[in-house]
Amino acid sequence: MRSLLRTLDRSTLRDIALVCLADALVGASFGAISVSGGLPLWVPIAMSVLVFAGGSQFAAVGVVLSGGGALAAVATGLVLNARLLPFGFTVADVLDGPWWRRLLGAHVLTDESAAFVLLQPDRRGRRAAFWVCGVALFVVWNVAAVLGAAAGGLIGDTDALGLDAAFPAVLLALVLPSLTDRRTRAAALAGAVVAVAATPYLPAGLPVLLSLLGLLFAGRGHARPAEEQGEGGGRPAEGSSDDRPSARHPASCRPSDDHPAARRPSAPIAEEVR
């Protein structure tokens, strides 16, 4: 671990520390909400160790505390964790070694660790960023969840501290960075409308799954201007760089038939060349 720390620069280590601090607050809120809502102390602790997926843990506990069944809670968590599949392809090159090391790496894979991996310029830095961030977040999250669960048992009513707002706030924080894209905003808005409309009529947890219908409203992206120009068969504007002779178009560099260089040599010259 010490060699991994030496590989990363100070700014990266500082950013990882700030992410760990933010996740510690969220983990403590998760433990407090779970226990104060009526779940046994061991449930949030076991979920943090075995699942280690903040958004999915909040979603599953929120479904159970609102009266939903275990199946709906598990399905909701799986849907939220499906985003980690492409992340696994992204960090696959840093998870070398025996199978147990790859399994451990898959367990500590998070949005944050994948993001730090993508910021590194070389494979050594990518590997160091993944393990430092992943292991640090795993330790910090679990310690914070234990402390939060213990505090939740003592506090009793977490609503008085506003911790009941942590669940929707965390989910909103996970979604906000993706809303810069127009199609993503359309899908999120449509999914939210579907979920809110279905909430009075369906059991808890099912409206979240039904909100996936919002993906139908995302639509397909428009072709890029260069592709549209190529597909339309349009000719480049007059005077553009495509009108200039180039190595890829040797015919454009060929002299005309009237040019002296284009005339065939006379017979004596041809005989002398032979």
Side-chain angles (χ1 to χ4, degrees):
M1 179 61 72
R2 184 173 300 178
S3 62
L4 295 178
L5 292 174
R6 292 174 180 174
T7 303
L8 301 175
D9 53 30
R10 291 186 177 181
S11 61
T12 302
L13 293 175
R14 179 198 60 203
D15 293 340
I16 292 177
L18 292 176
V19 169
C20 289
L21 177 61
D23 277 23
L25 299 177
V26 178
S29 300
F30 168 74
I33 291 174
S34 301
V35 173
S36 64
L39 295 178
L41 180 66
W42 63 269
V43 171
I45 297 176
M47 288 186 66
S48 297
V49 174
L50 300 176
V51 179
F52 186 53
S56 297
Q57 291 178 225
F58 269 101
V61 168
V63 170
V64 172
L65 294 182
S66 59
L71 183 60
V74 172
T76 302
L78 288 176
V79 169
L80 288 177
N81 263 4
R83 72 188 188 280
L84 297 179
L85 179 61
F87 291 169
F89 293 115
T90 302
V91 303
D93 63 322
V94 303
L95 298 180
D96 53 357
W99 65 267
W100 59 265
R101 185 180 300 173
R102 295 195 297 270
L103 184 62
L104 178 61
H107 187 60
V108 299
L109 174 62
T110 61
D111 306 69
E112 296 87 350
S113 60
F116 280 110
V117 166
L118 295 177
L119 293 176
Q120 303 306 311
D122 53 17
R123 186 176 182 274
R124 185 181 180 186
R126 287 161 58 86
R127 180 174 178 270
F130 176 81
W131 287 110
V132 170
C133 182
V135 173
L137 283 177
F138 182 80
V139 173
V140 168
W141 176 270
N142 281 277
V143 171
V146 171
L147 296 177
L154 297 176
I155 295 173
D157 184 16
T158 56
D159 294 350
L161 300 178
L163 294 181
D164 57 315
F167 169 60
V170 169
L171 293 184
L172 184 61
L174 292 174
V175 171
L176 280 179
S178 303
L179 297 183
T180 56
D181 181 67
R182 180 180 59 84
R183 291 181 296 165
T184 304
R185 287 197 303 270
L189 180 60
V193 171
V194 171
V196 171
T199 297
Y201 308 103
L202 297 178
L206 292 183
V208 177
L209 300 179
L210 199 61
S211 66
L212 292 175
L213 294 176
L215 296 175
L216 300 176
F217 296 87
R220 297 181 60 183
H222 298 289
R224 290 176 295 182
E227 294 177 352
E228 291 178 349
Q229 182 177 352
E231 294 175 358
R235 298 181 60 184
E238 185 177 355
S240 64
S241 58
D242 292 326
D243 291 330
R244 296 194 301 266
S246 63
R248 287 179 294 179
H249 302 284
S252 61
C253 303
R254 195 182 306 157
S256 62
D257 294 337
D258 296 333
H259 196 277
R263 298 173 183 172
R264 300 182 61 180
S266 59
I269 298 179
E271 291 292 332
E272 183 178 353
V273 170
R274 291 196 190 100

